Amino acid sequence: MIEFKNTIVVNKINIKSIFKKVNSFYLYDYKKIFYHIYIINKLNLYCFFSIKSNDNLYLLKIINNTINKFDIVSIGELKKIILISKKKPYIIFSGSGKTTLELIFSIKLNIFCINVESFQEIFKIYYIMNILKKNINMMIRINPNIDAKTHEKITTGKKKNKFGILISSIKNFFIMSKILKINIIGYDFHIGSQIDNLSPIKKLLHLIYILYKFKKFQYLDLGGGIGVNYYKTKNIIKIKNFYNIIKHSLKKKKINSKLLIEIGRYFFCNTCVLVSKINYIKYNVNISICITSIGMNDILRPSLYNSYHKIESYNLGKTLTNFFGPICESSDKFINNNNIKVKTNSLIILHSSGSYCKVLSNNYNSKNKIFEIIVYKNKLKIIFNLEKFKNLINNYE
Ligand code: LLP
């Protein structure tokens, strides 16, 4: 449990001590992670963890020991899983641009399934299978042309998006799969991320019903997308209700396919805060400016999607509202609706930083990637070290 009093206390550990040594870091709460895993297990569904949301090796080990199912989008993610796996994991390979090498690698490994996104990709897989004399399960990702009513940049199920095979091509697809005798085990629909209401999903379920009547399928993969609470939307739908409604609707429509989901964000988002401090406070005409020690290189979501991450500090100092990072871009700015009291050197935290934050961090302005630390059984454990300068120059000839 992360509490915020005069300092940050996580599971009764005061983190001020480490803050003296490091400027900024991601801080995870082990207990909360296990709580989320418990909730997901209770859904009683085949849940694949979408590794793109957080690929920290320590956290992947936790997922491997509990969920043991992964949704990947690159050979790098696949290799990370192989590195940490004790038992053979179930892997779905998603993504619209898999390379030949990636396909060969995953077919040789005989992963659970490849989610294909185009006719061209199917032909490529067919060709590789023939050369390798191996088979692989495939699911077809369909683009249903349904608006997930989320941020434009994380909407994936509209006709204009690059993802999936259009519903109008499905008949041709059936003909082709019959001729090629390929093993299509189901259909995949991932229409977007941070979906906070069920209306687009209900539309989708109707379409799935029509498809199922036309031809039954063994697996139905609804992708990921369940929205989480960024402390902005108060009445966000609970994960349990979200999937209970879906399960109920499928049952009512007599769709007996096994339901798969590929959840990313929900796992870690609210199990982690980004800890930082105020480096400077200055006043420009009629605006006050706080410069923090973290920036868009550490957490890109605010600049990329205008995303809100709740900022907190101890209640000491002047009331200020404008928080910027140190990167040389005007867009290196945090979205903040609150009045927060801060002083120079105040410690601040950005909430909901466990998903799509560290993975999107980069070395812009030649900054190195920061620590990731977990609070485990009342101890602090570093799970990612501060990136060394050596890493920034290693690849130059
Ligand atoms: N399956 C597929 C095929 C996906 O593309 C994604 C996410 C997921 C599952 C997991 O979705 P989730 O449960 O995490 O919503 N960087 C953005 C989010 C991009 C999502 C990409 N695809 C952000 O920071 O909001």
Side-chain angles (χ1 to χ4, degrees):
M1 224 292 257
I2 299 175
E3 296 167 71
F4 208 74
K5 293 177 185 161
N6 273 339
T7 176
I8 300 181
V9 179
V10 187
N11 294 344
K12 304 203 165 64
I13 297 187
N14 184 338
I15 60 141
K16 213 168 186 172
S17 51
I18 61 165
F19 193 65
K20 279 181 195 144
K21 292 179 205 140
V22 292
N23 246 344
S24 25
F25 50 93
Y26 285 94
L27 183 68
Y28 294 88
D29 181 347
Y30 191 88
K31 263 194 184 166
K32 205 149 183 211
I33 291 173
F34 268 84
Y35 177 65
H36 282 189
I37 291 173
Y38 165 77
I39 299 279
I40 284 173
N41 272 332
K42 265 184 70 174
L43 295 174
N44 223 351
L45 292 172
Y46 292 87
C47 178
F48 291 70
F49 170 62
S50 214
I51 168 171
K52 64 178 84 73
S53 59
N54 191 318
D55 59 5
N56 180 294
L57 290 184
Y58 181 90
L59 302 179
L60 291 184
K61 277 184 202 160
I62 296 180
I63 300 289
N64 186 241
N65 291 334
T66 51
I67 303 275
N68 198 32
K69 298 185 198 66
F70 297 90
D71 161 47
I72 61 158
V73 286
S74 75
I75 199 165
E77 290 185 347
L78 185 51
K79 284 182 177 171
K80 276 191 162 178
I81 295 169
I82 294 167
L83 187 74
I84 53 102
S85 289
K86 284 192 201 125
K87 44 187 175 176
K88 190 175 179 198
Y90 286 85
I91 293 173
I92 292 179
F93 199 159
S94 306
S96 55
K98 301 170 203 86
T99 64
T100 307
L101 200 73
E102 287 178 323
L103 290 169
I104 293 175
F105 199 75
S106 43
I107 293 171
K108 276 190 175 167
L109 271 179
N110 194 23
I111 63 168
F112 170 65
C113 172
I114 298 180
N115 282 1
V116 291
E117 301 231 5
S118 64
F119 286 85
Q120 292 80 350
E121 188 184 355
I122 295 169
F123 287 131
K124 198 181 238 186
I125 294 175
Y126 181 72
Y127 181 74
I128 297 171
M129 285 194 312
N130 278 329
I131 291 187
L132 296 178
K133 299 199 172 19
K134 272 179 176 275
N135 253 321
I136 192 89
N137 291 332
M138 283 181 241
M139 277 194 280
I140 308 303
R141 179 166 180 180
I142 293 181
N143 181 324
N145 194 24
I146 289 174
D147 186 352
K149 302 269 186 252
T150 178
H151 191 284
E152 196 201 335
K153 288 187 180 160
I154 50 176
T155 296
T156 51
K158 278 162 75 175
K159 218 162 42 183
K160 65 172 185 187
N161 299 130
K162 66 172 175 176
F163 298 99
I165 293 175
L166 289 182
I167 200 90
S168 52
S169 310
I170 276 298
K171 261 194 184 156
N172 286 344
F173 171 76
F174 282 132
I175 298 168
M176 187 198 69
S177 59
K178 223 174 185 175
I179 297 170
L180 299 183
K181 293 194 186 86
I182 48 180
N183 202 13
I184 306 297
I185 59 168
Y187 294 89
D188 163 40
F189 302 83
H190 173 79
I191 60 169
S193 195
Q194 188 56 16
I195 299 172
D196 59 9
N197 77 91
L198 265 166
S199 68
I201 303 292
K202 282 182 182 158
K203 267 192 197 165
L204 181 61
L205 289 171
H206 181 68
L207 194 119
I208 289 168
Y209 175 60
I210 296 170
L211 203 68
Y212 191 79
K213 267 206 314 198
F214 180 66
K215 195 175 187 314
K216 291 196 166 58
F217 38 90
Q218 192 185 351
Y219 291 99
L220 168 60
D221 181 350
L222 280 186
I226 174 88
V228 307
N229 191 348
Y230 281 90
Y231 302 97
K232 192 174 65 172
T233 334
K234 279 196 189 99
N235 294 324
I236 201 151
I237 184 159
K238 284 211 164 95
I239 186 163
K240 187 176 147 204
N241 298 346
F242 189 87
Y243 286 108
N244 274 347
I245 292 169
I246 291 175
K247 279 198 259 183
H248 182 73
S249 163
L250 290 173
K251 203 171 169 192
K252 220 169 110 190
K253 289 177 163 53
K254 297 197 170 57
I255 300 177
N256 297 319
S257 312
K258 273 192 183 134
L259 184 57
L260 311 182
I261 50 174
E262 302 163 355
I263 292 184
R265 192 186 309 266
Y266 178 84
F267 272 89
F268 297 112
C269 186
N270 279 327
T271 70
C272 172
V273 294
L274 181 48
V275 184
S276 171
K277 70 173 186 180
I278 304 290
N279 267 349
Y280 296 99
I281 296 177
K282 66 175 181 180
Y283 301 90
N284 279 3
V285 197
N286 47 13
I287 118 160
S288 59
I289 292 171
C290 304
I291 308 276
T292 64
S293 59
I294 44 141
M296 62 192 282
N297 58 309
D298 302 301
I299 177 162
L300 189 59
R301 301 192 74 254
S303 336
L304 195 60
Y305 315 115
N306 264 337
S307 303
Y308 174 73
H309 288 261
K310 186 181 171 192
I311 303 175
E312 260 192 290
S313 183
Y314 340 120
N315 239 357
L316 292 173
K318 283 205 169 136
T319 302
L320 299 170
T321 47
N322 301 302
F323 294 85
F324 295 84
I327 298 295
C328 294
E329 294 266 352
S330 290
S331 60
D332 190 18
K333 183 179 189 321
F334 301 105
I335 313 293
N336 174 40
N337 316 321
N338 307 313
N339 291 324
I340 301 162
K341 283 188 176 166
V342 283
K343 297 198 276 196
T344 307
N345 285 329
S346 282
L347 187 153
I348 63 159
I349 60 172
L350 260 72
H351 283 272
S352 318
S353 299
S355 298
Y356 301 112
C357 292
K358 181 61 195 302
V359 279
L360 280 167
S361 68
N362 57 70
N363 300 115
Y364 189 34
N365 285 191
S366 285
K367 297 263 190 184
N368 40 5
K369 293 186 184 170
I370 58 177
F371 287 97
E372 283 173 282
I373 295 169
I374 195 162
V375 179
Y376 171 65
K377 289 190 182 162
N378 297 342
K379 285 202 178 82
L380 295 168
K381 187 176 167 55
I382 293 177
I383 58 172
F384 181 87
N385 253 308
L386 185 67
E387 192 178 22
K388 294 196 169 76
F389 176 67
K390 201 171 71 187
N391 277 3
L392 304 189
I393 52 166
N394 255 348
N395 285 355
Y396 294 100
E397 294 290 337

